[in-house]
């Protein structure tokens, strides 16, 4: 699906020209918050680590995200369609461990706070990078002012560093755009993103919830 989304971003200007639609491009910078990530219970061996009824609650620092979107306005009345790419590097903060994790010589056990240094001692590094490839649909509440509120939904994939596979991602957003002139606009958007539970570095996780606040600068052709 990632290749499909990138292809859509590349061909949207041609589609717009052929169908006499209004394309737009925008850059985005945001601030992303990640809910605590909870693993499923694990027992057995995975990637050289031995798990015994182990559960991990992972906490990551809030980080800045960066993205871009291309799309078409008025595909239907008041409806925009867009394809976007967003990337964020997440630094691992700490974890709450129950059960045990061992590499054969060092064992972490009990119910205690575990730092990135603790995990490094058994060969685990949980810093990660997430790339979101999304197809988005927005409804613009047009009015007589330069402000245009909107709501949106999206579907796509999350490419998580260290994960075995890309996972499905769903989003919902609320925001507004302000027209500086006929072509240039500023915008702000708050989004909730749900990522289907990934398998990261042998840790099988439950669904991941992300919250982002974005500022956009765009150009309408």
């Amino acid at each position: 699906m990632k290749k499909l989304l990138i292809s859509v971003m590349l061909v949207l200007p041609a589609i717009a020209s052929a169908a006499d639609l209004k394309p737009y491009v925008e850059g985005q910078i945001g601030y992303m918050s990640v809910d605590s990530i909870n693993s499923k219970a694990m027992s057995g061996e995975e990637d050289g680590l031995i798990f015994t009824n182990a559960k991990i609650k992972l906490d990551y620092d809030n980080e800045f995200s960066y993205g871009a979107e291309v799309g078409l306005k008025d595909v239907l009345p008041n409806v925009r369609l867009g394809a976007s790419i967003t990337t964020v590097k997440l630094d691992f903060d700490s974890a709450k461990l129950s059960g045990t994790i061992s590499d054969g010589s060092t064992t972490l056990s009990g119910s205690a706070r575990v730092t990135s240094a603790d995990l490094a001692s058994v060969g685990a590094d949980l810093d990660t990078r997430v790339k979101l490839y999304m197809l988005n649909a927005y409804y613009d509440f047009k009015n007589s002012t330069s402000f245009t509120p909107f709501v949106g939904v999206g579907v796509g994939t999350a490419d998580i560093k260290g994960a075995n596979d890309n996972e499905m991602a769903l989003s919902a957003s609320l925001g507004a755009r302000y027209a500086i002139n006929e072509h240039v606009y500023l915008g702000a958007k708050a989004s909730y993103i749900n990522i289907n539970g990934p398998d990261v570095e042998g840790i099988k996780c439950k669904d991941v919830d992300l919250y982002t606040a974005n500022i956009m600068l765009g150009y309408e052709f």
Side-chain angles (χ1 to χ4, degrees):
M1 190 171 186
K2 177 171 69 175
K3 292 181 180 179
L4 172 62
L5 289 170
I6 293 174
S7 298
V8 169
M9 294 185 75
L10 293 175
V11 302
L12 271 177
I15 294 174
S17 178
D20 196 26
L21 296 173
K22 299 177 181 179
Y24 68 89
V25 296
E26 68 180 35
Q28 304 172 354
I29 182 170
Y31 193 63
M32 182 175 290
S33 173
V34 186
D35 267 359
S36 295
I37 300 172
N38 295 286
S39 75
K40 299 177 181 179
M42 298 171 288
S43 293
E45 185 173 350
E46 184 78 30
D47 294 333
L49 299 178
I50 302 169
F51 298 90
T52 304
N53 196 32
K55 294 182 181 180
I56 302 177
K57 179 181 178 181
L58 304 171
D59 289 312
Y60 284 86
D61 295 331
N62 297 340
E63 300 290 349
F64 285 100
S65 62
Y66 305 91
E69 179 168 308
V70 299
L72 301 174
K73 287 184 60 179
D74 298 327
V75 176
L76 295 171
N78 295 356
V79 174
R80 285 184 288 124
L81 296 180
S84 65
I85 297 177
T86 304
T87 183
V88 60
K89 182 181 180 298
L90 296 175
D91 291 330
F92 172 71
D93 178 44
S94 64
K96 186 71 175 294
L97 168 69
S98 62
T100 63
I101 301 176
S102 174
D103 65 353
S105 59
T106 303
T107 299
L108 301 176
S109 63
S111 180
R113 182 176 179 271
V114 180
T115 67
S116 57
D118 294 327
L119 290 179
S121 72
V122 294
D125 177 6
L126 296 182
D127 288 350
T128 190
R129 182 213 66 236
V130 179
K131 289 185 178 180
L132 296 167
Y133 302 86
M134 305 293 292
L135 283 175
N136 305 302
Y138 305 97
Y139 185 86
D140 293 325
F141 296 93
K142 294 183 179 179
N143 56 73
S144 60
T145 74
S146 297
F147 283 96
T148 304
F150 64 85
V151 294
V153 293
V155 60
T157 62
D159 179 1
I160 302 173
K161 180 183 177 182
N164 289 349
D165 298 293
N166 292 349
E167 300 293 345
M168 175 176 285
L170 301 173
S171 70
S173 59
L174 175 68
R177 305 199 305 174
Y178 174 76
I180 297 174
N181 57 40
E182 182 181 356
H183 297 289
V184 180
Y185 65 87
L186 285 172
K189 177 174 67 172
S191 300
Y192 161 72
I193 303 162
N194 175 267
I195 300 174
N196 191 50
D199 184 344
V200 181
E201 301 291 352
I203 299 175
K204 297 175 176 61
C205 301
K206 298 180 180 180
D207 287 1
V208 178
D209 293 324
L210 309 176
Y211 301 88
T212 65
N214 288 318
I215 296 174
M216 302 100 69
L217 175 63
Y219 186 90
E220 297 177 350
F221 294 88

